[in-house]
Amino acid sequence: MNVPPKTVFYTIERTIKSYRKFSNRNFSRVVDDITVDQKLILQYLNSSPELSQTEIAELVFKDTASITRMIDLMVKKDFLKRSINTEDRRKFKLEITAKGKDILSRLEPVIAANRKTAFAGISEEELIQLDRTLQKILSNIT
Amino acid sequence: MNVPPKTVFYTIERTIKSYRKFSNRNFSRVVDDITVDQKLILQYLNSSPELSQTEIAELVFKDTASITRMIDLMVKKDFLKRSINTEDRRKFKLEITAKGKDILSRLEPVIAANRKTAFAGISEEELIQLDRTLQKILSNIT
DNA sequence: CTTATATATTTGATATATCAATTATATTTG
DNA sequence: CAAATATAATTGATATATCAAATATATAAG
């Protein structure tokens, strides 16, 4: 017997983990060696190039230590270039490399296709409702 | 402008991460040094004492390598006892220690209170709908 | 200006996640 | 039965998560 109040978080967890795996699998068909989170960082930097590492950390719900290490790796893989920010020498300037931009453009259609597959047979209204319920939960616990 | 089809996974991720933090915070008021996942393993073993490590891994959506290490730790912390399973010598018998049982009993009310807080103002019907939508997404991607 | 405080990032320690390879034991098949 | 295959768990390598402490720079307060 499944009682949603007792199992909803279980289902949420399962959904997000499955989606991560699903996305990673599809990404790896098009691009080598990039994770969902690295792609997300590229996307954020692409639309807001002035983001600091701390701001990125907030956006992706990780702490700054994780971001430091992820960006180290992304620099090593030549997705990003890190240089000193002369405005505020505590920060860095993060730039997407040509390789990073290429990857991003090749991933865009995959991202769209992933969503389409995931939401097949689910109406816009139903997604709005899903979002609304999750927002309620969020505001209850934060 | 927030378009749920593009942001729902973001919200799902945020919700589950916040709930994890919220739970961990509340657990640590009652018990020292236990994580949400370790608690979950204790709960599963409590209701199904014959579970193998592989079965536990499936239940908590982790791989067997993670479970090996988590259980190592839980044995070290005296939450669990690991002994050879004479029926099938590839497996182990996992038993909850007295300390583990005590922890579990002290956490039960916290778990119930966590859910109550998280779901305040959300009807049973709404939770069922949430669950239903997530199940649809799951079946689309697996 | 100088001290105190705040902010941005890094580093170290420890836990967890994931993949691939390995070991030990069980089961199947020829 | 012996060889092949399958299953359970471990180990090693690498990435990530999290906390606390450290470092560097900026800003505020006296």
Side-chain angles (χ1 to χ4, degrees):
Chain A
M1 193 186 56
N2 274 349
V3 188
K6 294 201 174 181
T7 56
V8 159
F9 282 113
Y10 186 89
T11 309
I12 296 176
E13 179 107 29
R14 196 144 84 87
T15 307
I16 200 70
K17 286 206 179 179
S18 297
Y19 188 66
R20 252 164 202 283
K21 278 190 190 162
F22 170 76
S23 294
N24 274 325
R25 215 160 41 231
N26 293 340
F27 284 3
S28 69
R29 292 214 188 86
V30 181
V31 166
D32 237 33
D33 215 27
I34 190 164
T35 67
V36 171
D37 287 311
Q38 290 173 1
K39 178 232 71 180
L40 199 55
I41 291 176
L42 285 183
Q43 282 187 309
Y44 279 124
L45 279 171
N46 198 42
S47 47
S48 312
E50 77 303 332
L51 288 174
S52 69
Q53 297 189 184
T54 304
E55 288 164 332
I56 291 171
E58 279 161 19
L59 286 167
V60 298
F61 318 122
K62 299 179 195 298
D63 90 344
T64 57
S66 296
I67 296 299
T68 291
R69 282 155 186 146
M70 288 177 73
I71 289 187
D72 283 349
L73 251 183
M74 292 174 77
V75 168
K76 204 178 295 173
K77 289 194 206 165
D78 191 31
F79 298 164
L80 288 181
K81 182 167 170 281
R82 179 153 46 182
S83 53
I84 286 172
N85 184 332
T86 45
E87 308 283 301
D88 181 339
R89 300 173 52 79
R90 293 169 303 181
K91 298 184 184 178
F92 290 111
K93 200 164 49 177
L94 297 169
E95 285 166 280
I96 306 180
T97 62
K99 185 176 171 192
K101 286 198 187 282
D102 174 60
I103 283 172
L104 211 41
S105 71
R106 274 189 286 155
L107 287 180
E108 302 291 357
V110 181
I111 297 163
N114 283 350
R115 286 204 195 102
K116 202 172 168 204
T117 303
F119 298 145
I122 304 176
S123 70
E124 172 103 13
E125 181 45 52
E126 189 170 348
L127 289 180
I128 291 171
Q129 179 54 48
L130 171 60
D131 198 84
R132 203 180 291 139
T133 305
L134 292 173
Q135 298 289 352
K136 279 193 206 170
I137 294 173
L138 265 170
S139 71
N140 283 340
I141 61 181
T142 51
Chain B
M1 191 186 55
N2 274 348
V3 187
K6 293 202 177 182
T7 57
V8 159
F9 282 113
Y10 185 90
T11 310
I12 295 176
E13 178 107 29
R14 196 145 83 87
T15 306
I16 200 70
K17 286 206 180 178
S18 297
Y19 188 66
R20 250 164 204 286
K21 279 191 190 161
F22 171 75
S23 295
N24 274 326
R25 214 160 41 232
N26 293 340
F27 284 3
S28 69
R29 292 213 188 86
V30 181
V31 165
D32 237 32
D33 215 26
I34 190 164
T35 66
V36 171
D37 288 311
Q38 289 173 1
K39 179 232 72 181
L40 200 54
I41 292 176
L42 286 183
Q43 282 187 308
Y44 279 124
L45 280 171
N46 198 42
S47 46
S48 312
E50 77 302 334
L51 287 174
S52 69
Q53 296 188 185
T54 304
E55 289 164 332
I56 291 171
E58 279 161 20
L59 286 168
V60 299
F61 318 121
K62 299 179 196 298
D63 89 345
T64 58
S66 297
I67 296 300
T68 292
R69 284 155 185 145
M70 287 177 73
I71 289 187
D72 284 349
L73 250 183
M74 291 175 77
V75 167
K76 205 178 295 173
K77 289 194 206 165
D78 192 32
F79 297 165
L80 288 180
K81 182 166 169 280
R82 180 153 46 181
S83 53
I84 286 172
N85 183 331
T86 45
E87 308 282 302
D88 183 339
R89 299 172 54 79
R90 292 169 303 182
K91 299 184 184 178
F92 289 113
K93 200 164 49 179
L94 297 170
E95 285 166 280
I96 305 179
T97 62
K99 186 176 170 191
K101 286 198 185 282
D102 174 60
I103 282 172
L104 212 41
S105 70
R106 274 188 287 155
L107 287 180
E108 302 290 359
V110 182
I111 296 163
N114 283 350
R115 286 205 194 102
K116 203 174 167 203
T117 304
F119 298 145
I122 304 177
S123 70
E124 172 100 13
E125 181 46 51
E126 190 170 348
L127 290 180
I128 291 171
Q129 179 53 48
L130 171 59
D131 197 84
R132 205 180 292 141
T133 305
L134 292 173
Q135 299 289 353
K136 279 193 206 171
I137 294 173
L138 265 170
S139 71
N140 283 338
I141 60 180
T142 51

